[in-house]
Amino acid sequence: MKTNLKKATLLLTGIMVGGKLFAQTPDTSAAAKDYVKPFSGGGQLRTWSVGVNGGVLTPFTVFGSNSRQDFTHPTEQVGYGAYIKKQILPSFGLQADFLRGKVKGTSSATNALGESTYSQYETNINWSASLSANITLANINWRHEKPFIQPYLTIGAGEMNYTPKITPVGGQETKYKTTGNGSINEVFIPIGLGFKFDIAPGVNLDLGYQVNFVNSDNFDGYKYGSTNDRFSYAHIGLEFALGSRKKPQMATHNPVSSMRTEYLWENQETRTALQREIDAEKAKNDELRNDLNTTNANLAKLTTDSDGDGVVDVNDKCPNTPAGTKVDGSGCPLAKPVIYVTEEDKKVVKDAIKNLEFDLGKATIRAHSYPSLDRVAQLLVDKNFSLKLAGHTDNTGSSDLNMRLSKDRAEAIKAYLVDKGANASRIEATGYGQTQPIATNKTAAGRQANRRVEFTLF
């Protein structure tokens, strides 16, 4: 029994994996929207489909109890089948089924003495063929464009060929029919229900349950009681719609969705005409707005002084002069007097360099350096000179630390001068660390000389 269940599990797993592969390649074309022109006939839909399935065959059914059957202990066996279906109406189709497998049970019903005559039976279904009506439910949906689940019912009639084998208690297995090859042909009625799930356009996962009523009491090889034999088939499978992938499948098609799409398309021309009128009015408004903007721009030229030099733009031959620049009548800067760096100016800078000291290993300027720096700041304010500050260190410590310290000291001097009124844009502060020594770093005097900030006035 465990082996049969394992086989059934592997079979169902294979079918599920196949469904996954089909689900991973969905149809992204316009036909996937499932639109079909209403009342256009079945030629716009796929009406033929084929299916394969596998599952479990057992003498147990939902009708009656096991204790009232010929064999009271059913076992599960693997079965498999296939079908071809013609969908005639959205909710009705005809389906031709094929089924093979085994049905098995143990412990026959007891006689008047409470004894079992047979220990088990096993019936091989060599083949079975039936024609059934397939009734699809809920494929017309007013809430969703396309239903995901299609419940269905089936009922039909057919013929099967089977070979029952029976084992007496304590005896050997024998064929029930001892003539010919032991097979029997019999009419049966299959009744089923199930659910189909859309996993891809034209591909459905099929979960179903079917009870097969045999028109005889010899299916299990044991004529007992007054009722005919029956068995069930629970299965899982895949259904594939045949025909062009551009057409939806009739059984899963929702005609309500197509009616809504048709309604929207019929009103598209009206909406398009209204949109054209709206676009035309917008174009006129844009044209008027552009004319107004052009007029305002021309008026602005007569009054606008963009650089604030007192000459309107229309007469300004030198636009974008810096703020505060004195200009002539055409808006061009007046020639500036040339200012030279005098010896007295250089002396002010030399005094500042001579008196400049910082706290050890820091960028903090010592207070006795302030007076000479104040004179440098005043010089920059009065003559609008530019100043370059270059910080240097000896090679004591890491190069990265010395580079930061030299830069910080130059920036500290710049910040002090700016605080005293100097123009920050005319002061450049740079740090060179230990890269530009002017003396040897092997002596204290040399290192002292290398720890410096150079002032370049221009």
Side-chain angles (χ1 to χ4, degrees):
M1 176 177 174
K2 291 183 178 179
T3 302
N4 292 326
L5 287 176
K6 184 176 181 181
K7 291 180 180 178
T9 303
L10 291 174
L11 179 60
L12 301 183
T13 302
I15 294 175
M16 290 293 289
V17 170
K20 292 281 188 180
L21 293 175
F22 277 94
Q24 289 172 358
T25 55
D27 183 5
T28 57
S29 65
K33 297 182 182 298
D34 206 40
Y35 169 75
V36 173
K37 184 176 180 61
F39 312 111
S40 60
Q44 301 301 315
L45 297 163
R46 285 191 275 180
T47 58
W48 286 96
S49 61
V50 295
V52 293
N53 52 63
V56 176
L57 288 165
T58 174
F60 174 76
T61 68
V62 295
F63 301 100
S65 63
N66 288 336
S67 61
R68 299 182 62 183
Q69 296 192 32
D70 294 355
F71 285 79
T72 58
H73 292 77
T75 62
E76 296 79 15
Q77 301 293 314
V78 174
Y80 57 92
Y83 65 85
I84 182 169
K85 184 178 71 168
K86 168 65 175 178
Q87 198 72 27
I88 300 173
L89 298 173
S91 299
F92 177 79
L94 289 178
Q95 179 173 313
D97 289 275
F98 171 81
L99 176 66
R100 286 197 67 180
K102 292 182 179 181
V103 182
K104 185 177 180 179
T106 61
S107 301
S108 66
T110 58
N111 54 25
L113 299 177
E115 299 173 340
S116 292
T117 305
Y118 299 99
S119 61
Q120 71 172 31
Y121 85 93
E122 180 178 283
T123 298
N124 289 327
I125 302 175
N126 303 316
W127 56 264
S128 71
S130 63
L131 183 65
S132 300
N134 185 297
I135 302 172
T136 304
L137 308 175
N139 59 339
I140 297 177
N141 196 308
W142 293 91
R143 296 183 60 190
H144 304 286
E145 290 187 358
K146 184 176 181 180
F148 174 66
I149 303 176
Q150 292 85 42
Y152 66 86
L153 301 173
T154 59
I155 182 170
E159 183 177 1
M160 70 169 62
N161 177 273
Y162 54 88
T163 304
K165 298 178 182 179
I166 196 163
T167 303
V169 175
Q172 298 292 325
E173 180 183 75
T174 59
K175 292 182 179 180
Y176 169 75
K177 183 180 179 182
T178 58
T179 60
N181 60 2
S183 65
I184 301 172
N185 288 340
E186 193 60 75
V187 174
F188 75 104
I189 297 175
I191 298 177
L193 56 83
F195 299 89
K196 291 182 180 178
F197 301 84
D198 298 336
I199 59 176
V203 181
N204 306 310
L205 178 67
D206 184 7
L207 300 178
Y209 178 77
Q210 178 179 296
V211 177
N212 300 278
F213 296 88
V214 184
N215 190 32
S216 174
D217 193 21
N218 62 11
F219 182 77
D220 55 13
Y222 182 34
K223 291 187 177 183
Y224 177 84
S226 59
T227 59
N228 291 335
D229 292 331
R230 56 184 178 266
F231 64 93
S232 65
Y233 177 46
H235 59 84
I236 181 173
L238 291 173
E239 180 184 45
F240 305 94
L242 304 178
S244 173
R245 290 176 60 86
K246 296 181 179 180
K247 298 179 181 180
Q249 185 180 1
M250 179 183 285
T252 62
H253 173 64
N254 181 15
V256 174
S257 175
S258 292
M259 292 174 65
R260 176 180 179 273
T261 301
E262 183 79 4
Y263 170 78
L264 294 176
W265 285 357
E266 288 178 352
N267 288 274
Q268 183 65 39
E269 184 176 352
T270 301
R271 290 197 299 272
T272 302
L274 290 174
Q275 187 62 48
R276 282 198 297 265
E277 293 181 9
I278 293 172
D279 292 342
E281 291 298 324
K282 287 183 177 180
K284 292 180 181 179
N285 291 337
D286 291 341
E287 185 177 356
L288 291 174
R289 186 177 295 108
N290 291 334
D291 292 342
L292 180 60
N293 291 340
T294 301
T295 301
N296 290 336
N298 292 331
L299 291 174
K301 290 179 181 180
L302 300 176
T303 57
T304 301
D305 180 12
S306 300
D307 53 11
D309 59 0
V311 180
V312 295
D313 290 352
V314 69
N315 297 324
D316 197 342
K317 296 181 180 180
C318 299
N320 303 319
T321 54
T325 302
K326 294 181 179 181
V327 298
D328 57 20
S330 62
C332 293
L334 296 172
K336 293 183 179 180
V338 179
I339 301 177
Y340 298 97
V341 179
T342 65
E343 291 299 324
E344 184 64 26
D345 297 335
K346 294 179 180 179
K347 183 177 182 304
V348 172
V349 173
K350 289 180 180 180
D351 290 341
I353 296 174
K354 179 179 178 181
N355 296 322
L356 181 61
E357 287 188 11
F358 293 91
D359 288 345
L360 183 63
K362 298 181 180 179
T364 305
I365 303 172
R366 290 184 176 177
H368 76 268
S369 303
Y370 293 162
S372 57
L373 289 177
D374 291 343
R375 289 191 289 274
V376 173
Q378 190 62 45
L379 180 62
L380 296 177
V381 172
D382 293 342
K383 294 191 175 184
N384 200 27
F385 282 143
S386 295
L387 179 66
K388 179 177 181 180
L389 301 169
H392 301 271
T393 67
D394 59 23
N395 66 350
T396 303
S398 69
S399 59
D400 290 341
L401 177 62
N402 288 332
M403 184 64 72
R404 289 196 299 272
L405 179 60
S406 65
K407 174 67 173 176
D408 291 345
R409 285 181 172 178
E411 290 287 352
I413 297 172
K414 176 180 178 179
Y416 183 86
L417 296 176
V418 171
D419 186 61
K420 294 299 181 178
N423 187 350
S425 66
R426 301 187 71 85
I427 302 175
E428 177 186 355
T430 308
Y432 294 97
Q434 63 189 41
T435 63
Q436 297 182 7
I438 59 175
T440 180
N441 281 309
K442 295 182 180 180
T443 64
R447 289 190 295 272
Q448 176 65 33
N450 289 332
R451 296 191 296 270
R452 69 197 188 279
V453 178
E454 296 176 346
F455 289 57
T456 303
L457 192 66
F458 57 95

